[in-house]
């Protein structure tokens, strides 16, 4: 007889509502004496997994756009998004992983051609404060970090993070002793400084002094080899981007910046040397070099020409050789 009374499958909106009800109870704290506590945690884990299956599909079926749209609308309408982030520390590990994927996917879901996640986050920016502070908690850092990178796909969210006090914290997060968390923070930092060109250019122009003082001292001069290597690569990406041309001109007019770059050119690591060269060539190519930049280059002329004479990269690359020849010409032609 059992087969006659199969329960009707839940709609995506119902799945969200059931999840929300359990998250509200979890947020208030399930009664510790409640024998059903474990049962409720298991139910919540199952529901979050169902949400993930609706959004991503599974081995048997692809996601259905109508179901995704219903789920997304209900998620943001009833504040389930906030509850999921706030309750993440109380979830079991598997449920945390699934929740992270749900939050990530919701950033890309369109309802009537609109990314409603962006509209929601614009009114709930304090959620970014929770996600960023997650880097200080080893159990949550990678989950919150993955969510954060998806949220800053929205320009309005990236601008909020760039202009917040949190930006200064990234210089410390990148140097955290836990390698995985430091690498995750570095990935988020890179995304913030490369994804939205006009917002980044505006941020760097307004915050030039403190930002590059921190960047130089904490990242480019870090005792950690990986930090230095990533930082010099990212610096090249930032300065060589056309939208940052005003920032680049300012950067290559500083003798302190030139000193740091020349030290990086002398590193034993080939990859750091090569990335440093890509930034150094901007100093050499600047046709309006300030007098103190010229005098440093002239004083080190023979050392630099010797360095570049032996400077090879593993695979022959025409562009690199052409850039090197140009830099050698510029330096050789310098007069005190």
């Amino acid at each position: 007889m059992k087969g006659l009374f199969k329960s009707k499958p839940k709609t995506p909106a119902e799945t969200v509502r059931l999840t929300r009800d359990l998250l509200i109870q979890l947020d208030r704290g399930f009664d510790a004496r409640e024998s059903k506590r474990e049962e409720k945690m298991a139910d919540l884990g199952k529901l979050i997994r169902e949400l993930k299956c609706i959004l991503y599909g599974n081995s048997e079926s692809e996601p259905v756009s109508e179901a995704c749209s219903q789920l997304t609308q209900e998620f943001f309408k009833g504040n389930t998004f906030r509850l999921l982030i706030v309750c993440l520390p109380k979830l079991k590990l598997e449920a945390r992983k699934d929740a992270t994927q749900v939050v990530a996917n919701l950033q890309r879901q369109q309802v009537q051609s609109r990314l409603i996640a962006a509209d929601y986050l614009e009114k709930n920016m304090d959620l970014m404060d929770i996600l960023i502070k997650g880097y200080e908690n080893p159990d949550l850092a990678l989950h919150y970090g993955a969510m954060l990178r998806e949220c800053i796909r929205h320009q309005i969210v990236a601008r909020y993070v760039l202009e917040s006090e949190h930006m200064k914290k990234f210089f410390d997060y990148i140097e955290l002793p836990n390698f995985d968390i430091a690498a995750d923070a570095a990935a988020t930092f890179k995304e913030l400084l490369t994804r939205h060109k006009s917002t980044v250019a505006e941020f760097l122009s307004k915050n030039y002094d403190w930002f590059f003082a921190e960047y130089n001292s904490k990242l480019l001069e870090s005792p950690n080899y990986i930090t230095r290597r990533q930082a010099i690569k990212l610096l090249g990406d930032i300065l060589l981007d056309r939208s940052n041309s005003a920032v680049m001109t300012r950067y290559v007019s500083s003798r302190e910046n030139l000193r740091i770059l020349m030290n990086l050119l002398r590193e034993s690591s080939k990859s750091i040397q090569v990335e440093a060269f890509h930034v150094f060539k901007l100093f050499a190519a600047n046709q309006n070099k300030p007098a103190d930049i010229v005098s440093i280059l002239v004083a080190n002329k023979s050392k630099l020409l010797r360095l570049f004479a032996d400077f090879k990269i593993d695979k022959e690359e025409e562009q690199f050789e052409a850039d090197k020849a140009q830099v050698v010409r510029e330096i050789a032609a310098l007069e005190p």
Side-chain angles (χ1 to χ4, degrees):
M1 293 294 284
K2 254 188 183 169
L4 293 174
F5 301 105
K6 271 200 180 137
S7 56
K8 192 163 109 236
K10 296 187 286 293
T11 66
E14 282 168 345
T15 307
V16 174
R17 285 195 286 273
L18 288 166
T19 306
R20 179 162 64 241
D21 291 345
L22 282 174
L23 285 170
I24 288 167
Q25 292 178 49
L26 177 60
D27 189 36
R28 290 181 188 146
F30 290 142
D31 187 339
R33 290 159 305 184
E34 216 174 324
S35 57
K36 291 193 168 175
R37 180 189 161 81
E38 277 308 307
E39 204 180 303
K40 285 185 176 177
M41 288 302 284
D43 288 346
L44 183 54
K46 276 186 206 145
L47 285 165
I48 295 171
R49 170 137 305 184
E50 276 178 49
L51 295 172
K52 186 180 92 168
C53 287
I54 295 168
L55 291 169
Y56 287 92
N58 55 30
S59 52
E60 283 117 53
S61 60
E62 291 289 306
V64 178
S65 58
E66 180 53 39
C68 292
S69 182
Q70 277 181 33
L71 184 153
T72 305
Q73 272 179 296
E74 186 63 38
F75 220 94
F76 289 109
K77 191 173 75 184
N79 240 1
T80 315
F81 191 84
R82 173 179 291 277
L83 278 164
L84 195 54
I85 286 175
V86 169
C87 290
L88 197 82
K90 297 178 180 176
L91 294 178
K92 299 222 162 122
L93 181 60
E94 281 310 310
R96 271 184 205 170
K97 288 180 187 169
D98 290 338
T100 302
Q101 288 186 275
V102 168
V103 167
N105 188 292
L106 287 168
Q107 304 316 308
R108 305 162 192 235
Q109 290 292 342
Q110 295 198 6
V111 176
Q112 292 163 343
S113 309
R114 281 189 70 78
L115 287 166
I116 63 171
D119 301 339
Y120 177 86
L121 289 174
E122 189 178 352
K123 299 184 187 83
N124 293 274
M125 284 297 191
D126 63 303
L127 289 173
M128 295 306 103
D129 307 339
I130 296 172
L131 295 183
I132 296 166
K133 274 197 77 69
Y135 279 121
E136 293 162 28
N137 182 331
D139 295 331
L140 301 174
L142 300 181
H143 302 293
Y144 277 162
M147 291 179 183
L148 179 60
R149 271 192 303 288
E150 289 298 327
C151 291
I152 58 182
R153 296 167 67 86
H154 311 301
Q155 189 153 3
I156 194 147
V157 178
R159 178 178 287 119
Y160 171 81
V161 177
L162 284 166
E163 290 175 356
S164 72
E165 278 302 300
H166 299 303
M167 242 353 244
K168 291 182 176 162
K169 293 180 188 165
F170 275 97
F171 292 102
D172 299 322
Y173 295 156
I174 289 169
E175 290 279 71
L176 284 168
N178 180 313
F179 175 79
D180 291 333
I181 297 174
D184 196 277
T188 305
F189 186 69
K190 180 183 179 183
E191 187 77 356
L192 280 164
L193 291 167
T194 52
R195 181 175 270 277
H196 304 285
K197 311 286 188 196
S198 58
T199 301
V200 171
E202 189 187 324
F203 163 75
L204 291 174
S205 297
K206 271 200 316 213
N207 298 277
Y208 180 92
D209 291 329
W210 77 259
F211 180 83
F212 283 107
E214 292 279 283
Y215 200 101
N216 287 350
S217 63
K218 290 193 172 164
L219 304 185
L220 292 178
E221 296 190 298
S222 163
N224 184 317
Y225 160 74
I226 290 176
T227 302
R228 293 197 306 281
R229 192 181 76 190
Q230 287 178 332
I232 187 61
K233 167 89 173 75
L234 177 58
L235 180 65
D237 293 344
I238 292 168
L239 297 181
L240 286 159
D241 195 303
R242 275 209 190 103
S243 51
N244 296 325
S245 57
V247 169
M248 185 268 281
T249 304
R250 195 168 164 188
Y251 192 88
V252 300
S253 301
S254 152
R255 57 182 295 153
E256 174 59 10
N257 295 343
L258 177 59
R259 177 190 71 74
I260 290 169
L261 258 294
M262 284 168 66
N263 284 337
L264 289 168
L265 276 174
R266 289 166 43 207
E267 286 246 358
S268 57
S269 155
K270 194 62 164 194
S271 50
I272 288 182
Q273 277 191 322
V274 171
E275 296 302 343
F277 171 76
H278 288 307
V279 179
F280 178 81
K281 71 188 180 191
L282 300 172
F283 285 88
N286 180 9
Q287 296 309 303
N288 302 306
K289 296 180 191 69
D292 55 352
I293 296 284
V294 174
S295 65
I296 291 171
L297 292 174
V298 168
N300 291 278
K301 187 168 169 175
S302 56
K303 279 185 198 162
L304 286 165
L305 293 175
R306 267 203 310 279
L307 173 76
F308 292 130
D310 299 330
F311 201 36
K312 301 271 189 294
I313 53 175
D314 295 338
K315 55 182 192 301
E316 282 299 309
E317 201 182 299
E318 278 178 37
Q319 186 59 53
F320 176 79
E321 291 302 326
D323 287 348
K324 191 174 80 167
Q326 178 64 29
V327 166
V328 166
R329 279 196 297 277
E330 291 281 353
I331 290 172
L334 287 174
E335 297 292 339

